[in-house]
């Protein structure tokens, strides 16, 4: 038993060591990743239920590290946020997503909309208004072609100033979605004060929607609340035809998930659109 205990201890130790090393690699590597062009945006389609058309796309960042391979944003975005690097990285994401949207429009899509994820620090320190305006201006697209996804955690701090910024950007024509809706705090309170356009129902409620009656009830309730407030809904994490059918029955406006398509490189997304039908 004693030796087993020691083995377990050593195992944990090595595991922790490995994780610490990886964290360090991420922190060090992240600083150079922008200038070394190691980031790429992947795009995941969003489908409108009533028309069956692809009406938008979410841009999701990928990091291709020479030794670590593809690093998931779930492991490097928190590091980027803690170090402040999320501000320049976030600006690059905005620029790149807008450039891509311009390409889609130029290739004949009538109404391409790209959704970009924002972090709290971009509001606190990043001059987000300037960054967003610069991105659309230099890409030559309209604000209507860019959608901004906020998590409830962004609104938790400096609520007043975030609220004012959102209001000004909305006046310029940018649309806002609350991401991961239902997982944060005081969701309903925020809905009252934040004039957003869309709620993205968190995938934790969507995943088992066909099996779990509670999840189904929550999703149905969110759609109803949104409708009452004049907001659109999009469900993320839609993996099956059955889930999609149920969401259609609940009158959820849009869906996004592996069932329709995984996040993919821009070139592949072009081909996807040609096959599936355009924006
Ligand atoms: P998110 O914004 O909630 O993005 C949705 C995540 O769910 C993505 O993971 C996407 O690949 C994944 N997903 C989409 N459909 C399905 C599905 O049907 N089933 C399952 N199981 N998963 C699905 P990803 O790309 O790994 O991104 C993770 C998170 O990293 C994002 O969560 C977002 O919070 C953050 N992130 C990604 N790109 C950016 C970015 O450019 N800026 C910022 N600030 N955060 C980003
Ligand atoms: Ca998102
Ligand atoms: Ca989400
Ligand atoms: Ca999330």
């Amino acid at each position: 038993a004693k030796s087993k205990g020691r083995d377990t201890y050593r195992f944990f130790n090595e595991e922790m060591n490995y994780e610490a090393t990886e964290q360090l690699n991420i922190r060090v590597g992240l600083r150079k990743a922008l200038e070394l062009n190691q980031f790429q945006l992947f795009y995941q389609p969003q489908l409108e239920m009533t028309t069956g058309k692809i009406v938008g796309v979410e841009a999701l960042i990928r990091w291709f590290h020479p030794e670590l391979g593809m690093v998931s944003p779930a492991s490097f975005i928190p590091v980027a946020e803690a170090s402040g690097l999320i501000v320049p990285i976030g600006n690059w994401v905005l620029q790149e997503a807008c450039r891509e949207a311009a390409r889609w429009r130029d290739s004949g899509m009538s109404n391409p909309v790209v959704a970009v994820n924002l972090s709290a620090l971009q509001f606190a320190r990043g001059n987000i208004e300037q960054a967003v305006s610069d991105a659309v201006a230099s890409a030559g697209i309209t604000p209507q072609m860019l959608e901004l996804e906020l998590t409830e955690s962004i609104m938790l701090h400096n609520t007043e100033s975030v609220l004012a910024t959102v209001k000004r950007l909305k006046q310029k024509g940018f649309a806002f979605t609350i991401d991961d809706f239902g997982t944060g705090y005081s969701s309903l309170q925020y809905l009252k004060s934040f004039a957003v356009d869309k709620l993205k129902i968190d995938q934790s409620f969507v995943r088992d929607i066909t099996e779990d009656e509670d999840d189904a009830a929550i999703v149905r309730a969110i759609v109803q609340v949104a409708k009452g407030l004049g907001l659109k809904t999009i469900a993320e994490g839609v993996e099956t035809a059955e889930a999609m059918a149920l969401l259609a029955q609940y009158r959820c406006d849009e869906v996004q998930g592996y069932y329709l398509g995984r996040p993919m490189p821009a070139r592949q997304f072009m081909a996807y659109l040609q096959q599936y039908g355009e924006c």
Side-chain angles (χ1 to χ4, degrees), residues 58 117 149 179 200:
E58 179 176 6
N117 294 285
E149 294 197 3
D179 202 358
K200 185 177 264 194

Side-chain angles (χ1 to χ4, degrees), residues 4-5 28 36 51 55-56 64 84 87 106 115 126 137 144-145 163 177 230 255:
K4 194 182 174 202
V28 172
L36 293 177
T51 59
V55 288
F64 295 91
V87 174
D106 295 344
Q144 284 73 24
M145 287 165 71
L163 203 141
T177 300
V255 283

Side-chain angles (χ1 to χ4, degrees), residues 49 220 223-224 242-252:
M49 293 279 212
R220 219 163 42 212
V223 172
Q224 288 313 310
E242 293 74 26
M244 185 152 138
L246 204 54
L247 288 159
Q249 191 190 313
Y250 296 164
R251 303 276 180 270
C252 183

Side-chain angles (χ1 to χ4, degrees), residues 45-102:
Q46 302 176 329
L47 178 132
E48 187 177 54
M49 293 279 212
T50 53
T51 59
K53 279 188 173 173
I54 303 299
V55 288
V57 60
E58 179 176 6
L60 293 155
I61 195 169
R62 298 290 179 263
W63 179 20
F64 295 91
H65 186 282
E67 282 118 44
L68 299 173
M70 191 170 96
V71 187
S72 140
S75 43
F76 76 82
I77 290 289
V79 180
E81 286 173 337
S83 61
L85 282 167
I86 192 66
V87 174
I89 293 172
N91 287 344
W92 176 83
V93 171
L94 281 166
Q95 297 269 346
E96 178 67 14
C98 290
R99 275 196 294 269
E100 202 54 53

Side-chain angles (χ1 to χ4, degrees), residues 142-155:
T142 62
Q144 284 73 24
M145 287 165 71
L146 182 62
E147 212 169 79
L148 302 164
E149 294 197 3
L150 308 177
T151 55
E152 287 166 278
S153 64
I154 293 182
M155 305 166 207

